[in-house]
Amino acid sequence: MIYNFASWNVNGLRACIKKGFADFFLRGFDIFAVQETKMQRNQSDFSFEGYNEYWNSADKKGYSGTLIYCKDKPLQCENGLDKNDNINEGRVITLSFEKFFFVNVYSPNSQHELARLNYRMSWEDSFREHTERLAKQKPVIICGDFNVAHNEIDLKNPKANINNAGFTLQEREKFSALLKAGFFDSFRRLYPNRTEAYTWWSYMPGLRERNVGWRIDYFLLSENLSSNIKEAKIFPDVYGSDHCPISLTVDL
């Protein structure tokens, strides 16, 4: 069966709804993951017919948050990484389906002057351990905003951004560790040398028009799905956020 997935950091779902979110959503994806909803479910006055909704909102109002729309109802939904974690920023949703796990993630930003880098490093370890546990049971598809450009090819000005949040050696090494744990970057598996393929642009005037961006949104798959992947796309011409949506087509 062919599955079509999409992922989009909307930088505020209510704002993105007003900027044409539905135009892209209604292309008919089987599962649609949203990051940075910046809202609680009870604030929603919109819905999409034929889709189940699974929310993980941050305790802090107007901050972070993830959401998954899916046509098929999953066997189970789990929010977060650790039931004992007392910091709820709404960053992870895991859905269990018969043939695979689907994980939506919004990784913490290391922030200005790397104020949150140490927290980010600890969080990365917990996230990797979570996905490794899942992969021991059945194939895993992970998507979302990972807040890191993995390699120099993944951002316009790598030299100027060394040691900046999102391109520190520490963040890149944690991403590499996740891949080494048994996952692969779907876009790079299909397009290893494609340049200027970005998913996020600063709101500074002219940067998106000149494609001065970063690729920080990904679909990662467990290696046992390597032969199942059919297509991975980036949609830079879809506006509504400082990120653009990405998609994945897999034969499961």
Side-chain angles (χ1 to χ4, degrees):
M1 180 177 177
I2 301 296
Y3 281 82
N4 291 301
F5 304 91
S7 176
W8 195 0
N9 180 321
V10 294
N11 193 17
L13 182 54
R14 285 172 293 180
C16 195
I17 287 282
K18 296 176 182 178
K19 298 175 183 176
F21 174 84
D23 294 338
F24 184 77
F25 182 93
L26 294 174
R27 295 187 186 190
F29 299 97
D30 298 292
I31 299 180
F32 198 112
V34 181
Q35 303 87 44
E36 209 170 357
T37 58
K38 294 185 176 180
M39 63 181 292
Q40 309 293 313
R41 184 172 189 172
N42 61 14
Q43 295 176 297
S44 172
D45 59 359
F46 48 83
S47 62
F48 296 95
E49 186 176 356
Y51 285 89
N52 301 285
E53 301 178 23
Y54 298 90
W55 294 71
N56 187 8
S57 300
D59 288 343
K60 180 180 178 181
K61 298 291 180 65
Y63 178 74
S64 188
T66 48
L67 162 65
I68 300 175
Y69 291 102
C70 53
K71 291 182 177 179
D72 294 336
K73 191 172 182 179
L75 303 174
Q76 186 177 358
C77 173
E78 177 184 352
N79 286 348
L81 298 177
D82 185 344
K83 293 179 180 179
N84 296 319
D85 186 359
N86 60 4
I87 301 176
N88 180 24
E89 296 185 345
R91 294 193 177 276
V92 180
I93 305 174
T94 302
L95 300 185
S96 175
F97 294 92
E98 181 181 357
K99 295 182 179 180
F100 63 97
F101 286 105
F102 184 81
V103 182
N104 181 18
V105 60
Y106 176 40
S107 300
N109 190 303
S110 295
Q111 297 185 351
H112 181 64
E113 295 185 348
L114 307 181
R116 220 178 182 204
L117 181 61
N118 288 339
Y119 173 77
R120 167 80 181 262
M121 294 298 96
S122 175
W123 188 93
E124 290 281 359
D125 290 338
S126 296
F127 182 73
R128 187 181 64 255
E129 291 165 5
H130 174 69
T131 57
E132 286 178 309
R133 285 194 298 269
L134 298 177
K136 291 178 181 178
Q137 302 173 54
K138 53 189 168 185
V140 182
I141 298 172
I142 312 167
C143 74
D145 175 2
F146 287 76
N147 259 316
V148 62
H150 187 211
N151 293 310
E152 290 191 358
I153 195 175
D154 296 313
L155 71 167
K156 184 69 172 183
N157 296 312
K159 298 293 190 295
N161 283 289
I162 292 174
N163 294 325
N164 285 342
F167 200 59
T168 64
L169 180 60
Q170 297 96 316
E171 292 165 311
R172 296 165 64 194
E173 286 180 340
K174 290 295 186 184
F175 193 87
S176 294
L178 179 58
L179 298 182
K180 290 176 182 176
F183 299 95
F184 69 93
D185 175 350
S186 60
F187 185 82
R188 282 290 168 233
R189 181 62 58 91
L190 294 178
Y191 308 107
N193 301 311
R194 182 170 293 182
T195 60
E196 300 191 346
Y198 307 130
T199 65
W200 173 80
W201 302 262
S202 168
Y203 277 128
M204 292 178 63
L207 293 188
R208 186 158 184 174
E209 289 71 20
R210 292 184 285 118
N211 199 24
V212 180
W214 300 47
R215 189 173 75 97
I216 59 177
D217 303 85
Y218 303 82
F219 271 99
L220 306 184
L221 287 74
S222 50
E223 281 290 355
N224 52 7
L225 290 176
S226 181
S227 62
N228 301 71
I229 183 172
K230 299 300 180 182
E231 183 59 282
K233 294 181 179 179
I234 297 173
F235 298 86
D237 295 330
V238 175
Y239 284 69
S241 168
D242 52 346
H243 294 248
C244 75
I246 60 176
S247 73
L248 173 75
T249 302
V250 178
D251 187 349
L252 295 169

